[in-house]
Amino acid sequence: MKSFFVVAMLVAAALAAPQRGPDADAQVLRYESDNIGVDGYNYGFETSNGISQQEQGQLKNAGSENEAISVRGQYSYTGPDGVVYSVTYVADENGFQPQGAHLPVAP
């Protein structure tokens, strides 16, 4: 009975171990970053498994009471169903506003 308990514990530990997913060996193919100081930034990257992202941020109304950063960008990836999903977005004083063919549209 004792050996059964030990074997059961070993099996449970093996099943609980982190599993390597299909993206575990993805390589960064491109990475660009341009932090242009207080006025804004740009960055982008692409990986070997098809994930990509581009983003730029710009300071609006600098020095005023309404100073805010405005961000525009896009990202894409291949979902588990094999479909490439793309999202473009704006994030500013009006909040995060994503758009994509797979996202619902407010009435």
Side-chain angles (χ1 to χ4, degrees), residues 31-36 40-44 54-58 72:
Y31 176 77
E32 298 169 359
S33 179
D34 184 16
N35 185 348
I36 52 180
Y41 66 89
N42 293 300
Y43 83 89
Q54 318 285 328
E55 185 175 287
Q56 67 180 32
Q58 219 39 56
R72 293 184 175 281

Side-chain angles (χ1 to χ4, degrees), residues 67-91:
E67 183 175 274
I69 197 153
S70 177
V71 175
R72 293 184 175 281
Q74 71 83 28
Y75 62 89
S76 63
Y77 64 94
T78 303
D81 54 3
V83 174
V84 175
Y85 293 94
S86 295
V87 175
T88 58
Y89 59 90
V90 173

Side-chain angles (χ1 to χ4, degrees), residues 3-88:
S3 62
F4 173 75
F5 182 72
V6 171
V7 170
M9 292 296 290
L10 290 173
V11 169
L15 291 175
Q19 304 295 313
R20 288 180 52 92
D23 296 328
D25 296 322
Q27 303 286 320
V28 175
L29 302 176
R30 180 183 63 84
Y31 176 77
E32 298 169 359
S33 179
D34 184 16
N35 185 348
I36 52 180
V38 287
D39 291 334
Y41 66 89
N42 293 300
Y43 83 89
F45 68 85
E46 224 176 298
T47 62
S48 61
N49 60 347
I51 296 171
S52 69
Q53 182 170 2
Q54 318 285 328
E55 185 175 287
Q56 67 180 32
Q58 219 39 56
L59 186 61
K60 291 173 43 178
N61 305 317
S64 77
E65 185 177 299
N66 298 325
E67 183 175 274
I69 197 153
S70 177
V71 175
R72 293 184 175 281
Q74 71 83 28
Y75 62 89
S76 63
Y77 64 94
T78 303
D81 54 3
V83 174
V84 175
Y85 293 94
S86 295
V87 175
T88 58

